[in-house]
Amino acid sequence: MSEQDRANVGEESRELSELLQIRREKLAALKEAGENPFECTKYDRTAQTAQIVENFERLEGTTAAIAGRVMSKRDMGKASFFDIADSTGRLQVYVKVDEVGAGAYEAAKKWDIGDLAGFEGEIFRTRRGEISLKAVKIELLSKSLLPLPEKWHGLKDVELRYRQRYVDLIVSPDVREVFANRSRIIKEMRTFLDGRDFLEVETPMLHMAAGGAAARPFLTHHNALDLDMKLRISPELHLKRLIVGGFDRVYEIGRVFRNEGISTRHNPEFTIMELYQAYTDYEGMMEITETMIRTVANRLLGTGKVTFDGVDIDLDKPFARLTMLDAVKEHSGVDFSAIQTLEDAKAAAKEHHIKVEPEHGKGDVLNLFFEKYCEDKLVQPTFLIGHPVEISPLAKRDPQNPDYTERFELFILGREYANAYSELNDPIDQRERFARQAALQAAGNQEANDFDVDFVNALEYGMPPTGGLGIGVDRLVMLLTGAPSIRDVIFFPTMKPVNS
């Protein structure tokens, strides 16, 4: 930082400190006059700003009471204009000394940007044609002791937007719209699933065994029971217990927790939608996935054609299908269908500078090739199918090729949006696969599944043929709103402490 920059920062800090002191002095004066704004308990609004603007022709000449935050003000002597923002939009309020009285008018002139106030008056249009409210009664409802950042630093500090989301929402209507759309997307997902007779359920977030995904869990301790527990990485195994218990169609939308890195695509806690349907398979899950995403997009946007980071994505067009073997062969030139042994797979990996761990099987190596050469090539919606058993510990084997499973991942723009499979319901096979996961854990793999003994016990009572699906809600919201980072669609993303 240059000397001039340091000087500018120092000047801003001094000026800001002076403003903070002035605002506190104003509050003290109000309290001394018996007008403490924090004692206000309610304000009876009769309209919101968007309602007035959208229905002006019908409402012109009528009275309304609105409340919101002062975003700007212009003093014209014996009259002032206030720009008031509420959760629906903004409206200009015209305040004239002759209408509200000299005392109230002088008090309002001392209001600060960011203060919350109520206005009652007549809806009219100014000579310049702007829809406004002509106030006859005004009231300070809450005092803002900190100035809005727009005046000082704008929103240039992206980290500040995430750390102080409340301020970001105050000054950025487009940010509020992203989160409103997030709620609409989740609502449409629920509507879709409810329309197909799925039952929404809730399952535990505290687990004794972490399973359902390849992820490192967060650890915690239950003091009363003196038990080490884990925050769930997936609701999968509990949802499948419900299928065993006789529910045919269940789903859950909720938070999961994975102790992993933070990036534009990853947050340690995020929202997932998982569903399970008895008497169907991964083909049935493909149909649900494609139809639901297309339906949600059209209900939200009126079209299945979206643009993300300058790339046009067509969700209305049937999703492509591609096997992992074919993808790797196409983009790396290596034909894993011709590779018979783990030694040959490791040799191919070494030739392509891919690091293989001692515990990796042939299927793991295939997946490493896919991640290096293929993942970012799947731009338009593509169902990647034919995953190796080694990386699919909960998926049913392909009867025609038992080294692979009936599983798919949905890729769009090189990112995974969904994961699904024909659920493994053979308790003997499941026990063997959990044993392999336990061996991987013992070898140091912190993302391997725990051996869930009770889940195997549930399968031994019999689980019908079942299809299961998980969709990353945050990534779907990013796609449909154009948000470049997962932190733009999570109200309060995980952040490193400022002083750490």
Side-chain angles (χ1 to χ4, degrees):
M1 182 182 292
S2 68
E3 290 298 325
Q4 185 59 50
D5 288 337
R6 290 193 185 93
N8 290 340
V9 170
E11 180 62 29
E12 280 190 358
S13 297
R14 282 190 296 274
E15 195 173 345
L16 181 58
S17 297
E18 291 174 4
L19 274 180
L20 298 179
Q21 183 60 35
I22 291 171
R23 291 194 177 208
R24 279 159 176 74
E25 289 173 356
K26 288 181 179 180
L27 175 62
L30 286 168
K31 288 182 176 180
E32 288 177 8
E35 299 175 0
N36 183 355
F38 298 128
E39 290 181 349
C40 176
T41 57
K42 63 177 293 188
Y43 185 82
D44 293 324
R45 295 189 299 179
T46 62
Q48 292 183 293
T49 60
Q51 292 175 311
I52 292 174
V53 173
E54 292 167 6
N55 300 284
F56 176 74
E57 301 301 326
R58 178 171 58 85
L59 296 175
E60 183 177 14
T62 64
T63 60
I66 67 168
R69 193 178 296 275
V70 177
M71 301 304 291
S72 68
K73 61 178 185 174
R74 303 186 303 281
D75 183 2
M76 314 291 286
K78 294 186 177 182
S80 296
F81 289 95
F82 291 80
D83 186 22
I84 304 303
D86 63 15
S87 63
T88 66
R90 293 191 182 194
L91 187 72
Q92 177 176 270
V93 177
Y94 176 59
V95 180
K96 191 176 181 182
V97 64
D98 294 345
E99 297 287 346
V100 301
Y105 184 75
E106 287 303 314
K109 288 174 67 174
K110 297 177 183 178
W111 292 352
D112 291 306
I113 304 301
D115 286 353
L116 290 147
F119 303 84
E120 183 179 342
E122 179 187 345
I123 298 168
F124 79 113
R125 192 187 293 273
T126 66
R127 282 178 292 181
R128 293 188 176 183
E130 185 168 354
I131 297 172
S132 306
L133 184 80
K134 185 189 297 181
V136 295
K137 290 177 64 177
I138 60 176
E139 181 180 352
L140 182 62
L141 305 178
S142 184
K143 187 75 184 146
S144 174
L145 298 181
L146 287 170
L148 297 182
E150 198 169 26
K151 182 176 180 182
W152 298 99
H153 305 292
L155 295 178
K156 297 175 184 177
D157 188 344
V158 176
E159 290 242 337
L160 182 62
R161 290 181 51 218
Y162 302 139
R163 293 183 188 280
Q164 299 183 5
R165 180 69 80 188
Y166 42 90
V167 180
D168 189 26
L169 294 169
I170 290 172
V171 300
S172 304
D174 56 327
V175 172
R176 289 203 302 273
E177 183 63 17
V178 167
F179 285 102
N181 280 331
R182 177 192 174 97
S183 291
R184 294 182 189 114
I185 289 167
I186 294 174
K187 179 182 178 181
E188 293 296 348
M189 293 176 77
R190 282 194 167 99
T191 299
F192 178 89
L193 293 172
D194 293 346
R196 292 200 174 197
D197 297 325
F198 279 85
L199 179 70
E200 184 172 12
V201 298
E202 293 178 305
T203 60
M205 290 194 180
L206 289 174
H207 289 182
M208 293 298 297
R216 182 179 179 182
F218 284 95
L219 307 179
T220 188
H221 185 79
H222 191 295
N223 291 331
L225 297 178
D226 193 23
L227 283 176
D228 290 329
M229 303 189 79
K230 300 173 181 179
L231 294 181
R232 71 178 182 188
I233 58 175
S234 167
E236 176 171 346
L237 301 188
H238 283 86
L239 289 171
K240 287 197 284 194
R241 285 172 168 91
L242 299 182
I243 297 292
V244 171
F247 288 102
D248 284 348
R249 301 183 183 208
V250 294
Y251 77 94
E252 181 171 10
I253 298 175
R255 286 292 176 106
V256 294
F257 308 86
R258 299 180 183 178
N259 200 347
E260 56 190 17
I262 297 174
S263 71
T264 57
R265 302 185 191 185
H266 298 93
N267 193 67
E269 56 175 314
F270 61 96
T271 302
I272 198 168
M273 187 289 303
E274 287 205 18
L275 66 83
Y276 294 85
Q277 179 179 340
Y279 307 108
T280 189
D281 61 3
Y282 82 131
E283 294 275 358
M285 295 299 100
M286 283 191 205
E287 186 278 324
I288 285 181
T289 304
E290 183 169 345
T291 306
M292 177 162 56
I293 291 176
R294 181 177 298 130
T295 300
V296 171
N298 276 274
R299 287 179 178 171
L300 180 74
L301 306 172
T303 178
K305 295 176 175 60
V306 299
T307 300
F308 188 94
D309 197 22
V311 180
D312 294 329
I313 301 297
D314 191 350
L315 300 174
D316 286 329
K317 184 179 178 181
F319 294 3
R321 298 188 183 193
L322 179 67
T323 69
M324 186 179 286
L325 286 171
D326 288 342
V328 169
K329 182 178 180 180
E330 177 183 352
H331 296 292
S332 75
V334 178
D335 184 0
F336 266 79
S337 64
I339 293 179
Q340 301 300 317
T341 66
L342 174 58
E343 289 69 26
D344 290 340
K346 288 182 175 180
K350 183 177 182 180
E351 184 179 342
H352 287 77
H353 309 289
I354 293 175
K355 184 180 179 181
V356 177
E357 300 297 338
E359 69 272 15
H360 280 161
K362 189 177 75 170
D364 295 296
V365 180
L366 171 62
N367 187 53
L368 292 174
F369 268 83
F370 171 76
E371 290 175 347
K372 178 175 180 178
Y373 288 102
C374 313
E375 200 167 84
D376 60 350
K377 307 294 193 308
L378 306 182
V379 177
Q380 293 301 319
T382 302
F383 288 124
L384 181 78
I385 60 178
H387 292 65
V389 169
E390 291 94 330
I391 63 168
S392 310
L394 297 164
K396 184 169 287 191
R397 294 175 188 267
D398 180 351
Q400 307 303 318
N401 195 343
D403 289 338
Y404 297 86
T405 59
E406 291 189 346
R407 175 186 173 188
F408 73 79
E409 292 176 289
L410 173 63
F411 282 90
I412 307 172
L413 291 160
R415 304 178 183 185
E416 177 199 342
Y417 283 80
N419 184 30
Y421 30 86
S422 301
E423 300 297 332
L424 177 60
N425 61 346
D426 179 344
I428 298 172
D429 191 355
Q430 184 65 82
R431 186 182 296 276
E432 291 173 352
R433 294 202 215 176
F434 274 156
R436 181 177 186 273
Q437 292 292 306
L440 291 175
Q441 277 192 351
N445 186 339
Q446 296 178 317
E447 294 186 350
N449 282 214
D450 286 343
F451 196 130
D452 192 329
V453 176
D454 182 71
F455 178 66
V456 175
N457 187 64
L459 291 184
E460 289 181 342
Y461 279 97
M463 185 175 83
T466 298
L469 164 68
I471 292 180
V473 173
D474 307 288
R475 288 189 181 178
L476 181 60
V477 174
M478 290 170 62
L479 177 67
L480 298 183
T481 63
S485 170
I486 194 171
R487 292 187 292 183
D488 293 319
V489 300
I490 295 177
F491 271 126
F492 304 105
T494 304
M495 303 289 290
K496 186 178 180 180
V498 176
N499 296 321
S500 66

